[in-house]
Amino acid sequence: MGKFGTTEYSRIRHWIEERGGHPARIKNASDSETVRVDFSSETEEEISWDEFFQGLDGSRLAFLHRTRAEDVKARFGKIIRRKRLPH
């Protein structure tokens, strides 16, 4: 599995929206580290893209996702600490 880590807003948003996801945070959470990507609306609180990216930046987080052609619609993506970005 090819992986790509990024902090580029447009790449992150495109990847998430292309797979039917949206930015979210755990319900009733106020700290920025609780930002998540949600593909449903049952367990998360939907937030704006601005709030999502403020959460990533404020907590020094990045988005890691698959890059290979066969992974075009795969939903593997996770939020990681920026210091753990693959080089």
Side-chain angles (χ1 to χ4, degrees):
M1 166 180 73
K3 294 182 201 171
F4 181 80
T6 186
T7 57
E8 185 182 323
Y9 294 178
S10 60
R11 180 186 283 272
I12 295 168
R13 185 173 180 166
H14 175 77
W15 191 95
I16 293 169
E17 287 181 339
E18 189 174 68
R19 288 156 181 80
H22 60 270
R25 84 169 131 244
I26 297 172
K27 286 183 180 177
N28 302 318
S30 59
D31 65 312
S32 61
E33 275 197 49
T34 60
V35 293
R36 301 282 185 261
V37 175
D38 197 4
F39 293 98
S40 70
S41 57
E42 294 178 19
T43 59
E44 308 291 335
E45 174 187 348
E46 191 165 352
I47 60 175
S48 71
W49 283 107
D50 286 340
E51 289 176 287
F52 180 79
F53 291 125
Q54 286 172 0
L56 286 184
D57 291 342
S59 297
R60 306 274 307 140
L61 301 172
F63 188 68
L64 183 71
H65 61 87
R66 288 183 169 187
T67 59
R68 293 173 51 186
E70 62 267 22
D71 298 330
V72 170
K73 294 295 178 189
R75 289 185 177 170
F76 173 81
K78 70 180 194 176
I79 296 172
I80 61 170
R81 297 252 178 242
R82 288 184 185 177
K83 65 183 179 184
R84 295 185 58 213
L85 280 173
H87 298 289

